Amino acid sequence: GPATTPLTGLAVAATTKLSSCPAACTLLYGLTDLLIPFNTGLAPMFGCVFNFQTALMIVLCGGVASAAAAFFIGRVFQNRFLGWVSTVPEVQRQFSFVDRAISNGGFMAVLLLRLIPTPIPALNFLYGLTQVNAPAFLCATVLGNLPGSAAIVSSAALGKTLIFARGRVTELLGGVSPWQAASVGIVA
């Protein structure tokens, strides 16, 4: 078998701890998504550690909880923000345009914006500053985050499977060579 190093041992220990506590992973994902303004890479990591269904639930629930928290924080500051915006005509004009587009579009506007992969959690605060309906925002967030979350989690799980396949890659890919599969991925 492969040689065991201190780093390998640490990775195995961390993976064992993580896989035994999906609720803590959901909380960790939600907090990092809320507090760190860029993609932390936790979604692919969870795709490697957990089975697909568990990893998807962790990423989806954590992401939606984070989006909801940011949205409602935005609502808390909405009046103060709108008061400031009213003192700067150019900003007011620009924000009014964004607010009308998102608020009038409601569920469909948020859903379509969610389908565009943006690793910028700050957008959730912006949605809270608009007049968009909270239930529409939350439903569109769940549905809009689902495809991207599933793609990231399943890609990581597939990568893990291929790494551990040890020469059985073509068999695992249903007779498709790794080069053919990579070509399809690059073109897609």
Side-chain angles (χ1 to χ4, degrees):
T4 302
T5 65
L7 187 57
T8 307
L10 180 62
V12 169
T15 301
T16 303
K17 285 284 188 195
L18 281 174
S19 64
S20 67
C21 197
C25 291
T26 304
L27 180 63
L28 175 66
Y29 188 87
L31 286 173
T32 59
D33 198 36
L34 178 65
L35 301 174
I36 301 175
F38 55 86
N39 188 328
T40 60
L42 288 176
M45 183 180 77
F46 293 147
C48 289
V49 172
F50 294 97
N51 65 45
F52 173 77
Q53 293 85 355
T54 303
L56 181 59
M57 290 310 297
I58 289 169
V59 171
L60 194 58
C61 291
V64 170
S66 169
F71 178 84
F72 289 112
I73 290 169
R75 285 288 159 97
V76 166
F77 292 101
Q78 185 181 44
N79 287 336
R80 182 179 292 168
F81 175 77
L82 294 176
W84 171 80
V85 163
S86 69
T87 66
V88 186
E90 183 61 24
V91 174
Q92 182 178 22
R93 187 181 64 74
Q94 292 171 353
F95 181 75
S96 293
F97 175 78
V98 170
D99 185 23
R100 276 192 315 277
I102 292 172
S103 300
N104 291 343
F107 172 86
M108 191 56 69
V110 175
L111 176 65
L112 292 173
L113 289 168
R114 288 284 184 213
L115 292 173
I116 302 167
T118 53
I120 306 170
L123 289 176
N124 296 315
F125 293 101
L126 172 68
Y127 290 128
L129 297 173
T130 69
Q131 300 300 315
V132 71
N133 179 304
F137 168 80
L138 293 172
C139 290
T141 296
V142 171
L143 291 175
N145 284 359
L146 184 60
S149 298
I152 291 169
V153 167
S154 63
S155 295
L158 176 62
K160 178 181 78 172
T161 301
L162 294 176
I163 287 169
F164 290 111
R166 296 192 179 159
R168 298 182 308 126
V169 174
T170 303
E171 174 189 329
L172 288 171
L173 292 174
V176 176
S177 78
W179 292 110
Q180 290 169 322
S183 299
V184 169
I186 289 169
V187 170

